[in-house]
Amino acid sequence: MPAEGHGPGAPALDHWIAGAATPPLSGGRVDDVDPATGEVLARIARGDADDVERAVVAARAALAGPWGRATVEERARVLEAAAAGLEARADALARLESEDTGKPIALARAMDVPRAVANLRFFAGAIRHDETPCHRTDGRALNYTLRRPLGVVGLVTPWNLPLYLLTWKVGPALALGNAVVAKPSELTPRTAGVLAEVLAEAGLPPGALNVVHGLGPEAGQALVEHPDVKALSFTGGTATGARVAATAAPRFKKLSLELGGKNPTLVFADADLEAALDGTVRAGFTNQGQVCLCGSRVLVERAVYADFVDALVARVRALRVGDPRDPEVQLGALVSAGHRDKVEGYLRLAREEGGRVLCGGERPTDLSARVARGAFLTPAVVADLGPACRTVQEEIFGPVVTVHPFEGEAEALALANGVRYGLSASLWTRDLARAHRVAAALEAGMVWVNTWLLRDLRTPFGGLKDSGVGREGGRWSLDFFSDAQNVCVALEGAGPPPAPTA
Ligand code: TXE
């Protein structure tokens, strides 16, 4: 487990630098709070530019040492051993993730931990099977492409899927032989500490992965600014992403930004409506609606709108909200009391904008004593809002969906595409031609047809418009975490070269 026992009360969680738990130079600490109970779980290191500097020095030293010379096979084996290490600690990790985030333990067990394991295994396989292109130039030359590691890369990750998203970036970064400095969310830092230990046990040399904890504007900003950090992969809010881009762009860093969403779920009258209801509820409320891919705008063809909304409300009312430790609970706490306040603010705004809250949006009154003061909110469905309302335009990132009728494909697409975001969409229809037509016309990086969040790790992941820049996943991750170098070899006897061209 991460370093514990520094002082009284909650255990201290230190940085992980050069293969060891490392207290912050400033001595500053930030509380990591369980949003379901209000308990302080850990006092995390409050990192700053000096700590980031130490981590980058350790990362550079790792690249100059054995890690910089590790073969593909050696790197793949480290990732596989770490995947097994995470699996062996699955129960403990699920508990840490559930306590840090407020999410149901059942969800952490079923989704967060298995996916973290899968991420590391997947990128071990991906690097073993990687291929690069070779271009033959009119019989005169052979061009082949080398992948070169970038060097030190910075990873900044959010609080909604902490280990899941950190491994999604650590896997390909290490597979390619980079050294990493990671800055996990200050709200949910503990599983990152375990990951660092597990990777060390798996044989990762000291300094190849460093974790600097702390606040975004301090540790995060220092990482983004550091001149020796060659690339940044950031997942988080769109406003923070803009700040990261503004800092990184003039320093010519490679940048991958996975940002917010306001994703539509489109339900056509010809859909399997039972399946569509299941999918709409899952898309709307998984992880208390705190997944960037959540479908928070439910667009329903008018012919079935009234019946569909009635059935949706009945299902949403039946969702069990409560103590994340209860294995039957489907919705736990939101990530913090502050975030719960923000979501409640949007529900007030929805009413001011003329919306009708059909269910939910309240602080539950039937919670067990252990979690009675937690950041809970019952899942809400809001109707009667026009497409221009702020509630319909802005990312709420909580257990709130808005419902809207539409007439025909053109209106469905106008509504679906009528926001600044373009991350994902799900559409429900039995008409195959319509599915392809609408999918191609949706302004979204990822479209699911008759499903939601069915993921194949080989596929490109990322958003259009204000949902981000770049793609990760499969070869897109390998492309991001490496530089392509072309080598052009003249073929013997190919005759004089043609006049030079650019
Ligand atoms: O995230 P931030 P916040 C959305 C969601 C949410 C909103 C704000 O709508 O309500 O964003 O959430 C680090 N330089 N998403 O403020 O700030 C920070 O410490 C470098 C969508 O909690 O984006 C954390 O590690 N780093 C989302 C990470 O950025 C900085 C998931 C993300 O935090 C920084 C989370 C800075 N200047 C929120 N400032 C998704 N796409 O899934 C902060 N950070």
Side-chain angles (χ1 to χ4, degrees):
M1 304 301 292
E4 295 187 359
H6 293 255
L13 172 57
D14 288 330
H15 304 308
W16 184 268
I17 296 176
T22 308
L25 283 169
S26 71
R29 297 274 165 189
V30 186
D31 286 348
D32 170 24
V33 176
D34 180 341
T37 63
E39 180 195 352
V40 177
L41 297 165
R43 302 187 62 243
I44 69 169
R46 182 170 175 168
D48 59 17
D50 293 335
D51 297 316
V52 167
E53 174 63 24
R54 284 193 300 175
V56 172
V57 166
R60 281 210 318 260
L63 291 171
W67 182 243
R69 297 187 292 275
T71 63
V72 164
E73 184 55 28
E74 285 163 351
R75 299 192 307 249
R77 282 194 189 161
V78 166
L79 291 176
E80 277 167 348
L86 292 182
E87 225 162 23
R89 300 201 202 188
D91 281 345
L93 286 164
R95 185 175 53 75
L96 293 177
E97 208 72 304
S98 170
E99 289 173 354
D100 268 8
T101 60
K103 71 177 71 194
I105 183 91
L107 183 67
R109 280 197 188 116
M111 181 173 78
D112 295 76
V113 179
R115 174 60 193 275
V117 170
N119 284 339
L120 298 188
R121 283 210 176 112
F122 173 80
F123 284 107
I127 195 65
R128 277 202 182 101
H129 296 279
D130 186 34
E131 293 172 3
T132 53
C134 175
H135 301 91
R136 193 158 184 269
T137 311
D138 297 331
R140 298 179 172 278
L142 212 50
N143 289 273
Y144 60 86
T145 305
L146 297 177
R147 277 195 197 284
R148 297 158 62 104
L150 300 170
V152 182
V153 299
L155 312 180
V156 180
T157 46
W159 42 260
N160 56 339
L161 300 165
L163 187 64
Y164 175 134
L165 289 175
L166 182 57
T167 49
W168 178 239
K169 299 177 191 298
V170 163
L174 292 180
L176 283 155
N178 298 289
V180 169
V181 180
K183 211 300 278 172
S185 169
E186 57 276 24
L187 298 177
T188 57
R190 292 189 300 167
T191 50
V194 179
L195 176 67
E197 288 198 355
V198 163
L199 276 161
E201 285 163 19
L204 188 71
L209 173 86
N210 307 278
V211 178
V212 177
H213 293 288
L215 304 176
E218 297 173 4
Q221 185 70 24
L223 181 59
V224 176
E225 286 175 3
H226 199 291
D228 290 343
V229 172
K230 300 299 177 197
L232 284 149
S233 174
F234 170 86
T235 300
T238 292
T240 312
R243 210 167 305 134
V244 168
T247 309
R251 294 169 168 86
F252 308 113
K253 292 171 191 274
K254 231 176 154 181
L255 204 51
S256 171
L257 301 172
E258 306 285 346
L259 309 177
K262 189 74 179 176
N263 310 302
T265 300
L266 296 91
V267 180
F268 287 89
D270 64 24
D272 174 342
L273 294 177
E274 278 300 303
L277 273 170
D278 280 346
T280 303
V281 172
R282 242 172 31 85
F285 300 103
T286 295
N287 208 38
Q288 299 73 241
Q290 302 167 132
V291 181
C292 53
L293 305 166
C294 274
S296 52
R297 294 181 297 138
V298 181
L299 316 178
V300 187
E301 197 157 16
R302 196 176 289 281
V304 295
Y305 177 78
D307 288 348
F308 189 88
V309 170
D310 284 350
L312 176 65
V313 167
R315 287 194 188 211
V316 172
R317 276 190 209 282
L319 290 171
R320 287 196 53 185
V321 181
D323 189 339
R325 280 190 189 169
D326 176 346
E328 302 297 317
V329 149
Q330 292 161 294
L331 268 74
L334 303 199
V335 74
S336 67
H339 189 56
R340 195 250 316 258
D341 292 347
K342 175 181 160 187
V343 176
E344 285 180 327
Y346 271 108
L347 286 161
R348 275 196 301 280
L349 176 67
R351 289 191 175 93
E352 285 162 27
E353 291 182 317
R356 210 158 34 98
V357 179
L358 303 180
C359 67
E362 285 144 11
R363 299 185 181 196
T365 51
D366 57 350
L367 295 165
S368 63
R370 195 183 88 84
V371 296
R373 295 159 64 83
F376 295 85
L377 206 56
T378 56
V381 178
V382 184
D384 299 347
L385 286 168
C389 290
R390 279 182 54 205
T391 315
V392 183
Q393 290 289 324
E394 297 176 14
E395 186 180 47
I396 299 175
F397 218 63
V400 180
V401 301
T402 58
V403 286
H404 311 266
F406 68 80
E407 205 83 67
E409 276 175 36
E411 193 185 3
L413 282 167
L415 289 171
N417 292 339
V419 294
R420 63 192 278 235
Y421 296 106
L423 190 55
S424 70
S426 67
L427 77 102
W428 298 80
T429 178
R430 284 190 172 110
D431 181 335
L432 189 59
R434 164 179 282 160
H436 292 299
R437 199 166 51 235
V438 173
L442 280 165
E443 293 169 0
M446 292 155 285
V447 178
W448 282 289
V449 178
N450 296 329
T451 185
W452 178 75
L453 198 45
L454 179 59
R455 292 277 295 122
D456 181 325
L457 303 188
R458 294 170 299 180
T459 61
F461 182 98
L464 309 179
K465 296 155 78 177
D466 289 3
S467 290
V469 176
R471 294 291 179 275
E472 295 186 11
R475 73 171 171 81
W476 288 269
S477 291
L478 300 184
D479 287 346
F480 177 73
F481 285 107
S482 63
D483 269 330
Q485 181 188 47
N486 186 66
V487 179
C488 177
V489 183
L491 295 177
E492 228 175 288
T501 52

